[in-house]
Amino acid sequence: MEVKNKRISDAAFEAERQEVLKTWPTGSEVDFDEAVKYQSKLKGDLRFADKLREAQKVKKTLVQPRAGVPVLEEHVKLMRFLEKFGNVDLLPSTIDSYTRLNRYKEAEEGLRQSIIEGRALMNGVPIVNHGVNQSRIIVEAVHTPLQIRHGTPDARLLCEISYAAGFTSFEGGGVSYNLPYCKKIPMEDTIKTWQYVDRLTGAYAEKGIVINREPYGPLTGTLVPPCISHAVAVIEAILAAEQGVKNVTVGYGQCGNITQDVAAIHTLETLTNEYLEKYGYKDVEVTTVLHEWMGGFPADESQAFGVIALGATCAALSKATKVIVKSPHEAVGIPTMYANSQGCRCTKQVINMLYEQSYSAHNLNEEEEMILKETRAILDKTIELGDGDWAVGCCRAVDAGVIDVPFAPCAANAGLMLPARDNDGAVRIMDMGNLPFDKEIKDWHKAKFEKRAKFEKRDVHFNMVVDDIYAIERGHVVGRPEYKNEAQGVTTLTEESTL
């Protein structure tokens, strides 16, 4: 196995950079020294890491949407609209699907056709095709820090152009942008390409330019137990730190049970700091992000706002450093900029109302302790499998099913672990697969399902999993059998339906 958790040498990195920058003509616009000077001139209100650091100090949750359209002028208009009317604290630039697959020629054609037809024919902004100079127009058009959000297994050129253009945060990682997104790309390949991204981030840090890196927290987004997403987040933080990254935001996808979600954010920060320090990375700033519900959404906008508000509640009560917001149009497709701003304003309202409040529950400590125990078991087994190397251990852990992401399409993923909700709506593990848990953990999960089965007067069964997957879009958290019939009678409320 070639991949190792070892800092890429300057010579090897520079040689690889020259090859990466040749993969599309706009790569020639990247001049590292000039880019450092450009980044150094960006004011504090445009620096992602600075904004996160300030928010963490006062335990204030920042609001950030997802958004991106292909035509530069329209993307600028979208960013300005969200900045002015969305009441946001941080801005995204979501990348199109062609760019995510390094299909820059198709992205160029999609951009051209979008300009000709006067409408977006792509689901994001093709930063690589726009290049450094054009992309700087986006950065200079707003007064809010900008992050690149995407889903790219090989993001090396995208990262080069984004940093040179002035973006101050970059999302993704070698595990979180493989297992949930890819089918046949080996883990070793994505870890290596993301080591490049992190090494580039480290190179900027060495010049005094701290750029925020954010592993993708939700993974597949549906019924992912906290211990799985936490383990991936910690591993990606360690891999990033080895390459010189100094500012990391680890993420978690809302599951729907307030106690579990608050406990998850608390333990995520604890575990990340714990393992970074334990393995010698003592100078990395760690912040957290909660992603509002990533599963199926109600088609009715009023119900959708309820889901959004619950996500905002969990983010505020857990004191997550930021929250990624959903829109009331999630069930029907890409939201309009108006709908996007509505989701942000809804979230901001809830966060403001809960800012000075704290959350406590009698079972919060139990939840936190179980998440800590489960995640440590996965992480400790991972480093054992890697004989002390996190990159090697990560690949072997995925292969062995020690890290097992539910419903992931990747062929490398074991797919043996099966999650479902307990009687209170928290995500538990019905089938452990090859997760390295002791009898106490296994019995704890088993008892949770037996309690639900007794309440619902049915056996613990795979049908619970299926029911839970559709529960939230049907208006509930737990997929009770009786909710199926109830859902059939739900009418989507629109202005026309009330006339």
Side-chain angles (χ1 to χ4, degrees), residues 52-60 269 286-287 321:
L52 291 169
R53 191 181 302 114
E54 293 168 6
Q56 189 180 46
K57 286 180 182 178
V58 297
K59 297 188 181 300
K60 179 182 180 181
E269 184 172 357
V286 176
T287 51
T321 319

Side-chain angles (χ1 to χ4, degrees), residues 309-364:
L310 182 63
T313 300
C314 292
L317 292 177
S318 68
K319 306 301 181 185
T321 319
K322 74 171 182 175
V323 57
I324 301 295
V325 180
K326 303 306 285 284
S327 86
H329 287 182
E330 295 296 331
V332 295
I334 298 174
T336 64
M337 60 183 180
Y338 176 70
N340 208 329
S341 69
Q342 283 183 306
C344 293
R345 291 167 69 88
C346 171
T347 297
K348 190 76 167 186
Q349 176 70 20
V350 174
I351 287 173
N352 287 343
M353 292 171 68
L354 294 174
Y355 172 55
E356 294 166 326
Q357 301 182 42
S358 58
Y359 177 73
S360 61
H362 71 279
N363 55 346
L364 182 61

Side-chain angles (χ1 to χ4, degrees), residues 65-81:
R66 292 180 178 87
V69 292
V71 179
L72 189 68
E73 293 77 11
E74 293 302 313
H75 186 71
V76 167
K77 186 187 299 183
L78 173 59
M79 295 297 101
R80 284 176 168 170
F81 186 94

Side-chain angles (χ1 to χ4, degrees), residues 192-208:
K192 287 181 71 174
T193 57
W194 277 89
Q195 284 177 321
Y196 177 103
V197 168
D198 290 327
R199 184 70 203 95
L200 180 63
T201 311
Y204 276 89
E206 290 164 8
K207 298 293 185 179

Side-chain angles (χ1 to χ4, degrees), residues 48 161 229 235 263-264 361 368 463:
F48 222 89
I161 291 175
S229 54
I235 291 169
E368 290 182 349
N463 286 342

Side-chain angles (χ1 to χ4, degrees), residues 2 55 75 112 144 167 207 246 343-344 472 480 483:
E2 293 182 13
H75 186 71
R112 189 179 74 85
T144 304
F167 288 85
K207 298 293 185 179
K246 301 301 180 186
C344 293
I472 285 184
R480 310 285 191 201
Y483 294 162

Side-chain angles (χ1 to χ4, degrees), residues 66 149 171 181 216-223 252-255 290-297 307 324-326 330 472:
R66 292 180 178 87
R149 303 192 68 87
E171 184 204 24
Y181 285 92
Y216 179 62
L219 302 178
T220 48
T222 303
L223 303 180
Y252 165 78
Q254 177 194 3
C255 282
L290 182 137
H291 296 249
E292 291 179 351
W293 176 244
M294 295 289 289
F297 251 71
V307 177
I324 301 295
V325 180
K326 303 306 285 284
E330 295 296 331
I472 285 184

